Amino acid sequence: MSLKTAQAPPVTDGYFVVKKSGLSQFQAMTAYLGGSAFQTIMDNPVTAYRQLVQQYAKDASGNVVDPRVAQAEAQAVFRAHPVQASLSGVGPRLIGVGFKRIPKFGILLGI
């Protein structure tokens, strides 16, 4: 008994042919995904800051702390390590962009 492996459908040559609009389906998909990735990277510092504030919103015992304290702790992290804090979690978010956007743009482009 042999096992069948799942294979992705082959990409047709028409996928790379430039249409009347001046773009091929490949170029349009690349542009959409690039725009989504750019937006994710630009929004990441705000998202990372928000998540840090939420993380510091409770103390070690699980009690809610004053929002100003949580905000001050998150700001201290960003001041101490600005680049690392801004890029925190960007990898998983970019993977999520791929999983979310490829089917969405594929359907919109009729691929």
Side-chain angles (χ1 to χ4, degrees):
M1 181 183 218
S2 66
L3 295 173
K4 289 187 177 183
T5 58
Q7 294 181 1
V11 177
T12 63
D13 290 336
Y15 183 68
F16 298 101
V17 174
V18 176
K19 309 286 184 194
K20 290 180 185 178
S21 65
L23 289 175
S24 68
Q25 288 179 321
F26 172 75
Q27 290 169 323
M29 178 68 91
T30 304
Y32 284 134
L33 288 175
S36 291
F38 181 78
Q39 180 181 5
T40 300
I41 291 169
M42 292 292 104
D43 289 345
N44 197 67
V46 175
T47 303
Y49 178 77
R50 178 187 51 81
Q51 288 179 337
L52 274 176
V53 171
Q54 288 175 339
Q55 177 181 333
Y56 290 122
K58 291 187 177 183
D59 61 11
S61 335
N63 301 323
V64 177
V65 298
D66 185 25
R68 287 173 277 176
V69 172
Q71 184 179 8
E73 290 190 33
Q75 286 176 355
V77 170
F78 264 80
R79 285 189 185 113
H81 309 284
V83 174
Q84 292 154 332
S86 295
L87 294 177
S88 172
V90 77
R93 287 189 189 100
L94 286 174
I95 292 169
V97 164
F99 281 119
K100 183 178 176 182
R101 301 286 192 243
I102 289 174
K104 176 182 176 181
F105 295 143
I107 290 169
L108 289 174
L109 293 172
I111 299 172

